[in-house]
Amino acid sequence: MAGHKLTGGEARLLVAVFDHLKPYYEQAKAKLSIVANDMSNDQAPTLLTYYGLLQEALVSSLDARERTIIEKRYGLLNSGKCYAYEEIAPKFDITPDRIRQLEDRALRKIKQYMTELNDEETAVAISLLDAKAQEHLEHAVGAKGQRDAVSGDVYMHNCIACTNARNKLAIQLEIRKFKEQR
């Protein structure tokens, strides 16, 4: 997974599923750099962790039609081309608006799947996110010490994103445990 380079479409899909990654994506675009390079460099290993979870969710939670729509909309196929609703609709013989509705439903399914990890998976994800948050914090402190404010801000944003994701998983784990006790 560490060697995978995110494409612009994969980055957009991550942003669609994980709203808190949007500032990082916007910052990469604002620098007029290639989003795929910016979002897959060593400063953002968290994105690859999220991407691994996302790949699993695509396979496990979507039917073939929904997966095809997501793949085409976000350029996940070999061509890397992102298709418009109007370009996808004829393949399924439905309206472009229906494609948009199916895309929204597929994104909700992915989000739902990714919040339904079992206790063991959640514990592993929490420990990974803890480690990544600590790593980003250390890099942020180092960058600030070298007076590299931009890198420091990116590392700090990644640290906060990891911490938020970790806290969300921890809360979900506690809720599950509480429900099981009742």
Side-chain angles (χ1 to χ4, degrees):
M1 189 73 223
H4 179 76
K5 293 220 179 261
L6 294 177
T7 65
E10 291 167 343
R12 284 190 305 280
L13 181 57
L14 281 169
V15 169
V17 174
F18 301 105
D19 295 332
H20 60 273
L21 296 178
K22 189 170 185 168
Y24 184 81
Y25 177 73
E26 293 300 327
Q27 185 177 14
K29 283 179 27 182
K31 291 193 301 187
L32 300 176
S33 58
I34 298 171
V35 173
N37 289 342
D38 255 21
M39 294 190 79
S40 63
N41 65 21
D42 290 337
Q43 297 178 0
T46 305
L47 293 168
L48 293 175
T49 303
Y50 282 126
Y51 184 70
L53 291 170
L54 186 63
Q55 283 295 95
E56 184 180 320
L58 283 172
V59 173
S60 301
S61 65
L62 303 180
D63 63 34
R65 180 170 73 166
E66 292 167 335
R67 191 168 37 258
T68 300
I69 289 170
I70 292 295
E71 288 170 344
K72 286 184 176 282
R73 285 287 298 144
Y74 291 93
L76 304 181
L77 301 173
N78 291 338
S79 68
K81 180 182 180 207
C82 296
Y83 292 84
Y85 297 123
E86 294 78 15
E87 295 173 299
I88 301 170
K91 179 178 180 355
F92 296 105
D93 198 26
I94 54 179
T95 67
D97 189 52
R98 181 67 180 137
I99 294 292
R100 184 194 55 73
Q101 292 168 356
L102 290 170
E103 176 189 11
D104 288 345
R105 184 173 77 182
L107 290 174
R108 280 193 310 273
K109 280 182 164 182
I110 292 169
K111 288 179 188 180
Q112 171 96 22
Y113 175 85
M114 295 181 78
T115 59
E116 291 180 347
L117 301 174
N118 66 36
D119 290 352
E120 184 178 326
E121 292 168 327
T122 302
V124 169
I126 287 172
S127 66
L128 286 173
L129 287 168
D130 277 340
K132 290 297 180 189
Q134 183 62 36
E135 180 182 323
H136 289 303
L137 184 59
E138 290 168 4
H139 287 300
V141 170
K144 294 282 184 183
Q146 295 174 359
R147 302 205 191 291
D148 184 357
V150 173
S151 292
D153 289 345
V154 170
Y155 283 124
M156 195 51 120
H157 175 76
N158 287 342
C159 176
I160 292 167
C162 286
T163 303
N164 289 341
R166 180 245 184 258
N167 291 342
K168 182 179 177 184
L169 288 175
I171 289 167
Q172 291 169 355
L173 184 61
E174 291 302 315
I175 290 170
R176 279 199 309 268
K177 286 179 181 178
F178 177 75
K179 285 180 179 178
E180 288 172 2
Q181 291 175 353
R182 291 170 71 191

